[in-house]
Amino acid sequence: MKLFVDTGQVEEVRTAASWGILDGVTTNPSLIAKSGRGFKETVTAMCEILPHGSISAEVVGTTVDEILREAHEIASWAPNIVVKVPMTPAGITATRHLSREGIRVNMTLVFSPSQALLAAKAGATYISVFVGRVDDISGEGMRTIEEVVQMVDTYDFESEVLVASIRHPMHVVESIRLGAHIATMPFKVMEQLFHHPLTDIGLERFLDDWRRAGLHIFEPAGAR
Ligand code: E4P
């Protein structure tokens, strides 16, 4: 499963990229607005940090013409950009045009299998199914992931299911169990994936035992 970080902060992308396990970045208009930097400078900086990853950048137009115009502009900034387009009738029409032109689309704000079907048929590269926002209103976000993964498998669509709006590590664990292709998560959640209390306790014990026994890996100078 690919791991993406969901952020508007270039420094978070740099840190996550330095771990060597980052496959991509998703942004959205709210995250970019919160970053305090310009849209193009933020997205192009991320593209440079992760040249072999995919960076999703979202249009804000709402008509087919506006979406196409903005998508062409955004896609021209770097080869590894995926244009994020909202799940609306105009978004679906634009996605059909863009995918035929070879511009990759991440269809965002998908909440149901029927919406996901339209996105797949329009040729979206990624289908971003939001889970946290559904859980927030007492729904079962991961249930939709299960249905969409099954739909993509059954009909052999080329689209990849991207689990979005992740709130905690269990959303990532469930994404693995359901066979989702990609999980995008806030930087904080990605950091949480590293941690387990037994890892910390285990490491401390190994190092203590080693130290107490006076062992070493490198021969001390002059010991030969
Ligand atoms: C997806 O690409 C979105 O940017 C994101 O996951 C939205 O998450 P939120 O519900 O935490 O805003």
Side-chain angles (χ1 to χ4, degrees):
M1 187 175 73
K2 291 180 215 162
L3 293 179
F4 287 8
V5 66
D6 192 34
T7 185
Q9 303 294 332
V10 172
E11 282 317 308
E12 290 186 345
V13 174
R14 202 183 305 283
T15 305
S18 75
W19 294 328
I21 44 81
L22 187 66
D23 300 298
V25 182
T26 49
T27 66
N28 65 41
S30 306
L31 291 170
I32 296 290
K34 214 165 65 182
S35 78
R37 292 177 62 168
F39 184 29
K40 186 175 178 179
E41 63 165 309
T42 301
V43 170
T44 53
M46 290 173 175
C47 290
E48 277 170 32
I49 293 168
L50 207 63
H52 303 297
S54 96
I55 313 298
S56 291
E58 190 162 340
V59 299
V60 290
T62 53
T63 66
V64 176
D65 285 348
E66 284 166 355
I67 293 171
L68 288 176
R69 199 163 155 263
E70 292 174 5
H72 288 132
E73 169 62 19
I74 293 169
S76 75
W77 295 343
N80 52 337
I81 286 185
V82 177
V83 181
K84 240 170 137 179
V85 174
M87 173 62 229
T88 60
I92 287 290
T93 307
T95 298
R96 183 71 279 179
H97 285 291
L98 293 167
S99 60
R100 286 206 174 114
E101 286 175 42
I103 293 179
R104 294 183 298 158
V105 171
N106 174 350
M107 176 127 286
T108 189
L109 292 168
V110 173
F111 291 90
S112 71
S114 54
Q115 290 179 319
L117 173 67
L118 303 179
K121 287 179 73 74
T125 299
Y126 304 143
I127 306 172
S128 281
V129 182
F130 283 44
V131 295
R133 293 188 191 189
V134 175
D135 292 0
D136 289 346
I137 55 165
S138 307
E140 265 191 86
M142 293 309 300
R143 177 84 187 118
T144 312
I145 298 297
E146 189 172 5
E147 291 167 334
V148 175
V149 167
Q150 195 184 10
M151 178 200 76
V152 166
D153 284 353
T154 302
Y155 296 105
D156 214 14
F157 284 121
E158 282 175 20
S159 310
E160 294 185 74
V161 180
L162 189 158
V163 184
S165 187
I166 279 179
R167 299 270 189 268
H168 47 69
M170 276 315 288
H171 277 148
V172 181
V173 173
E174 273 291 286
S175 303
I176 298 166
R177 193 179 68 76
L178 297 173
H181 304 92
I182 308 163
T184 190
M185 66 207 74
F187 180 77
K188 192 181 117 242
V189 174
M190 193 168 276
E191 277 187 317
Q192 288 175 315
L193 299 185
F194 284 90
H195 300 299
H196 194 289
L198 291 178
T199 303
D200 300 340
I201 293 167
L203 181 61
E204 208 181 312
R205 196 175 298 159
F206 285 156
L207 297 183
D208 271 358
D209 290 345
W210 182 264
R211 227 176 287 120
R212 257 189 255 116
L215 293 161
H216 46 255
I217 291 175
F218 300 104
E219 295 294 329
R224 267 177 255 164

